[in-house]
Amino acid sequence: KFQELNRLLLKRDSSITKRLQLFETTVSKTLLWGAESWVLTAKQKRQLRSTQRTMLRRIVDTRRSIDEDWVDWVKRATRVAETHAAAAKVESWVDSHLRLKWKWAGKIMNMSPERWARRVTVWRDSEWSSWQLTGASAYGTRPIRSRAGHFQRWENELCQYAASIGEQSWQSIAIHKSLWDSHTASFIRFIWKPNRV
């Protein structure tokens, strides 16, 4: 999508704000379709951030000084690009993904218990994990063990956040919509610390 819209996004004689808004409504929305279901590793989150920053630098097009070191220029160009992006209300892709995931989790827990989306989420994330640890051995099979960077559950980040605020279960917060919504920003900050660096 970025390549398809290059002619407009990189047009230097057009408003940077307008071009960044176009980027947000086309490239970002295309990339983030279905993002509430993603299970990303820290490495994948860093790759997303890096890709977005590269595109933003190209749009803003901060020129490098003759005697400027390449690394210093990249850092400066990134800061300038992100300042323009913030002014144009372009959100970090990782922040957007986490926001969508949090919103979807709240929506699921406020669905009727008979709805398939809720039944599958609860079974897959909670009951299935419990079966892995206990039921599998009863059937004579070895429980599946997770390896770092290899296997994660969709709800892991939700569980980690719930534990960090002293809750036993994320589902117990999610059923209270206003309370759940009030935790969105702190959930993003808790899960995605690298984007503050």
Side-chain angles (χ1 to χ4, degrees):
K1 182 59 73 174
F2 186 83
Q3 292 301 323
E4 182 184 317
L5 295 169
N6 251 348
R7 186 176 57 84
L8 296 172
L9 293 171
L10 307 183
K11 191 175 181 183
R12 296 197 73 215
D13 58 350
S14 297
S15 162
I16 290 176
T17 301
K18 295 290 185 189
R19 288 185 283 134
L20 287 168
Q21 288 170 347
L22 175 65
F23 171 81
E24 178 71 358
T25 57
T26 55
V27 178
S28 294
K29 297 302 181 199
T30 301
L31 177 124
L32 292 166
W33 186 84
E36 55 271 4
S37 65
W38 292 352
V39 180
L40 299 179
T41 63
K43 181 180 178 181
Q44 288 169 328
K45 289 173 185 167
R46 288 192 299 271
Q47 287 173 333
L48 262 185
R49 178 183 62 174
S50 177
T51 302
Q52 186 182 26
R53 283 178 167 179
T54 300
M55 292 178 177
L56 292 174
R57 282 196 302 268
R58 290 188 64 195
I59 293 169
V60 175
D61 194 24
T62 303
R63 296 303 170 97
R64 182 181 174 187
S65 305
I66 296 171
D67 58 347
E68 189 173 18
D69 180 72
W70 188 83
V71 173
D72 293 337
W73 168 73
V74 169
K75 288 179 180 177
R76 181 172 66 85
T78 300
R79 282 194 304 271
V80 171
E82 290 190 329
T83 300
H84 281 289
K89 296 186 171 30
V90 175
E91 188 175 38
S92 151
W93 286 344
V94 179
D95 284 8
S96 294
H97 150 62
L98 293 171
R99 187 180 309 284
L100 289 166
K101 180 173 184 173
W102 186 259
K103 185 177 177 182
W104 177 242
K107 186 173 181 179
I108 285 173
M109 292 313 297
N110 283 284
M111 289 178 179
S112 161
E114 289 77 36
R115 291 281 300 274
W116 274 107
R118 179 166 175 172
R119 291 173 66 183
V120 169
T121 299
V122 173
W123 176 81
R124 179 192 61 200
D125 291 331
S126 302
E127 294 180 26
W128 182 72
S129 300
S130 174
W131 179 85
Q132 284 184 304
L133 297 173
T134 57
S137 55
Y139 288 97
T141 58
R142 183 171 58 85
I144 300 171
R145 297 183 184 275
S146 63
R147 294 188 307 230
H150 177 68
F151 172 78
Q152 293 188 72
R153 294 176 300 146
W154 178 82
E155 73 167 356
N156 275 7
E157 293 172 331
L158 303 172
C159 293
Q160 290 165 9
Y161 178 74
S164 77
I165 60 171
E167 293 287 340
Q168 289 188 338
S169 163
W170 66 269
Q171 292 98 329
S172 63
I173 318 168
I175 57 176
H176 307 290
K177 188 178 185 314
S178 59
L179 176 62
W180 185 256
D181 291 345
S182 71
H183 280 272
T184 306
S186 54
F187 167 71
I188 294 170
R189 282 194 301 272
F190 174 79
I191 296 299
W192 182 227
K193 298 180 182 78
N195 73 341
R196 312 300 165 201
V197 176

